[in-house]
């Protein structure tokens, strides 16, 4: 059985969904503008380099070395997660197969960065 956590990105009926609530074997997921309660058996992990990961972005905080008084401070930058060689190295080193595994690693090791689905 796959162990999912809050905010994990998963696949539900051909949609990328985000887990918003966990109650035992039931998950509440948000996708396509709606929330739905499902059993964990009705939710699938998203395969890395698979059919459903193409719009998953990596949120990376930008730190400005100097911000002038009238300058806007950059906050976040979004890139497809596989565009970053460091992320690909993490995936290979840890032998991750699914997006939620990378999400768990990021939450533990790089909490200022996270994965985000482009259409939520």
């Amino acid at each position: 059985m796959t162990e999912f956590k809050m905010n994990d990105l998963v696949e539900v009926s051909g949609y990328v969904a985000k887990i918003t609530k966990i109650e035992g074997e039931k998950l509440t997921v948000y996708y396509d503008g709606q929330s739905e309660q499902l059993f964990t058996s009705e939710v699938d992990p998203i395969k890395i380099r698979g059919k459903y990961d193409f719009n998953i972005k990596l949120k990376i905080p930008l730190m400005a070395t100097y911000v002038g008084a009238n300058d806007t401070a950059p906050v976040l930058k979004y890139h497809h997660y596989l565009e970053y060689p460091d992320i690909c190295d993490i995936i290979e080193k840890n032998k991750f197969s699914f997006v939620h595994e990378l999400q768990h690693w990021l939450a533990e090791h790089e909490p200022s960065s996270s994965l985000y689905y482009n259409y939520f």
Side-chain angles (χ1 to χ4, degrees):
M1 183 176 111
T2 303
E3 186 176 327
F4 294 119
K5 296 181 180 179
M6 289 287 295
N7 299 316
D8 280 355
L9 299 175
V10 294
E11 188 264 322
V12 176
S13 302
Y15 291 94
V16 173
K18 180 179 179 179
I19 297 174
T20 58
K21 189 175 185 181
I22 299 174
E23 295 175 324
E25 290 296 309
K26 288 190 175 183
L27 306 173
T28 302
V29 296
Y30 178 81
Y31 68 99
D32 196 30
Q34 64 182 355
S35 286
E36 185 174 355
Q37 194 173 46
L38 302 168
F39 288 101
T40 54
S41 60
E42 299 174 281
V43 174
D44 293 315
I46 298 172
K47 184 146 181 64
I48 291 174
R49 295 180 184 93
K51 183 176 180 181
Y52 299 105
D53 74 339
F54 59 93
N55 278 319
I56 295 174
K57 304 291 184 190
L58 176 65
K59 281 187 192 179
I60 301 174
L62 295 177
M63 305 300 171
T65 55
Y66 174 79
V67 178
N70 296 323
D71 294 341
T72 58
V75 179
L76 293 171
K77 185 125 177 126
Y78 298 87
H79 294 281
H80 188 274
Y81 72 99
L82 292 175
E83 291 175 357
Y84 271 81
D86 291 345
I87 295 295
C88 292
D89 289 345
I90 291 165
I91 291 168
E92 294 301 319
K93 179 181 176 187
N94 293 287
K95 296 180 175 33
F96 292 147
S97 297
F98 301 106
V99 169
H100 73 276
E101 295 170 328
L102 177 58
Q103 284 183 281
H104 297 179
W105 189 93
L106 287 170
E108 184 177 336
H109 297 93
E110 296 288 334
S112 61
S113 298
S114 62
L115 296 183
Y116 173 83
Y117 185 62
N118 206 32
Y119 292 107
F120 285 144

